[in-house]
């Protein structure tokens, strides 16, 4: 059973479009995260979220927004996609108060 | 600006011990230091976590000095399958009083036969 899953695995789209990436975890964790990994393999946190608090990395453009329908899901919505948004996006989850994170397989986004 | 820094790459041979150091000079007081391994086209995978001194599990050891401004991941007797990128993850204290989870820049380990 996949602990943290993401869909889609690949996403190719045009500039200006709006897209969403879905993330689900079946670990019963309270906190979920979104990371961006660029072409140089740098991993940067975008958001962390539990049922009480959303922490946003202030460098993330407001075109990006996380939405959590329930504790097991944290979806990433991206509006007005730009070329620079091309990257691999990873979802992760952890038990509240602990840093051990479990990562999904990643979504490879290519903006043309 | 607080950073976490790691060597860009390291080369080793099968059977050798490999030590990878991460510098994190502005680590938040109460947070753990965690190391992850990443293979191509996969998400990072947890290796080991510690707060201070030494931690050992079945795959690695983690050495953390008293000031906690650095940490060293030690992989005993590496094999070809240990070829991967290794990241440290720490919570960095910010001027705002908040903590920011920050990955190191990653160290690409290449193990040769």
């Amino acid at each position: 059973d996949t602990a943290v899953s993401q869909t889609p695995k690949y996403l190719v789209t045009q500039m200006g479009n709006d897209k969403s990436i879905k993330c689900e975890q079946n670990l019963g964790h309270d906190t979920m995260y979104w990371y961006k990994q660029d072409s140089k393999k740098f991993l940067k946190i975008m958001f962390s979220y539990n049922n009480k608090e959303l922490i946003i990395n202030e460098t993330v453009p407001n075109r990006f927004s996380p939405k959590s329908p329930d504790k097991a899901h944290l979806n990433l919505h991206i509006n007005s996609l730009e070329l620079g948004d091309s990257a691999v996006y990873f979802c992760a989850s952890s038990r509240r108060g602990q840093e051990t994170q479990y990562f999904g397989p990643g979504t490879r986004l290519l903006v043309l | 600006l607080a950073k976490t820094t790691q060597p860009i790459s390291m080369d080793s041979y099968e059977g050798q011990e490999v030590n990878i150091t991460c510098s994190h000079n502005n680590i938040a007081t109460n947070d753990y230091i965690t190391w992850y391994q990443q293979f191509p086209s996969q998400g990072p995978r947890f290796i080991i976590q510690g707060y201070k001194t030494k931690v050992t599990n079945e795959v690695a050891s983690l050495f953390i000095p008293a000031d906690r401004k650095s940490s060293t991941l030690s992989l005993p007797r590496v094999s070809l399958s240990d070829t991967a990128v290794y990241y440290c993850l720490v919570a960095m204290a910010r001027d705002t009083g908040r903590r920011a989870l920050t990955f190191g820049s990653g160290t690409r380990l290449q193990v040769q036969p």
Side-chain angles (χ1 to χ4, degrees):
Chain A
D1 288 341
T2 303
V4 182
S5 59
Q6 296 179 228
T7 53
K9 189 172 182 179
Y10 299 96
L11 183 55
V12 181
T13 188
Q14 300 285 333
M15 278 176 54
N17 284 351
D18 302 337
K19 290 293 179 184
S20 295
I21 306 172
K22 295 184 177 180
C23 178
E24 177 181 3
Q25 54 95 3
N26 62 9
L27 298 167
H29 287 167
D30 289 315
T31 305
M32 297 183 72
Y33 311 81
W34 277 104
Y35 289 88
K36 179 181 181 181
Q37 186 169 43
D38 62 22
S39 58
K40 294 183 179 179
K41 304 302 182 184
F42 293 127
L43 274 161
K44 289 189 177 178
I45 190 167
M46 302 176 72
F47 307 99
S48 68
Y49 181 79
N50 60 33
N51 59 1
K52 294 183 180 179
E53 185 179 25
L54 171 65
I55 300 176
I56 302 170
N57 182 333
E58 61 272 14
T59 66
V60 174
N62 57 14
R63 299 181 294 103
F64 291 79
S65 58
K67 297 196 189 308
S68 180
D70 55 57
K71 197 173 83 164
H73 297 84
L74 184 65
N75 303 324
L76 182 64
H77 295 266
I78 316 170
N79 294 325
S80 303
L81 277 155
E82 300 178 358
L83 295 177
D85 297 334
S86 296
V88 182
Y89 292 83
F90 288 102
C91 175
S93 71
S94 70
R95 285 192 294 178
R96 188 177 181 184
Q98 296 192 18
E99 306 296 348
T100 305
Q101 297 180 30
Y102 294 82
F103 283 77
T107 296
R108 286 139 191 87
L109 172 65
L110 177 61
V111 182
L112 301 174
Chain B
L1 182 63
K3 286 186 181 179
T4 55
T5 56
Q6 302 176 229
I8 294 174
S9 63
M10 297 183 72
D11 292 312
S12 183
Y13 292 94
E14 282 192 293
Q16 289 190 332
E17 179 184 81
V18 171
N19 296 308
I20 306 173
T21 296
C22 177
S23 297
H24 29 76
N25 60 351
N26 202 33
I27 186 171
T29 303
N30 297 319
D31 281 275
Y32 285 83
I33 299 160
T34 313
W35 282 79
Y36 291 84
Q37 176 191 56
Q38 187 179 29
F39 296 113
S41 302
Q42 295 185 23
R45 187 175 70 172
F46 172 83
I47 302 175
I48 196 167
Q49 182 183 75
Y51 182 76
K52 60 181 178 180
T53 62
K54 178 183 175 182
V55 178
T56 298
N57 63 20
E58 62 275 10
V59 298
S61 294
L62 180 59
F63 298 92
I64 304 169
D67 64 5
R68 300 193 346 113
K69 292 186 176 182
S70 67
S71 58
T72 299
L73 173 71
S74 180
L75 303 173
R77 298 179 298 282
V78 294
S79 63
L80 296 177
S81 62
D82 292 319
T83 294
V85 180
Y86 292 83
Y87 295 91
C88 60
L89 173 65
V90 299
M92 304 294 278
R94 306 286 295 272
D95 293 340
T96 57
R98 287 200 153 190
R99 38 188 285 287
L101 285 176
T102 306
F103 268 99
S105 48
T107 299
R108 185 176 302 278
L109 173 64
Q110 181 69 51
V111 180
Q112 306 281 1

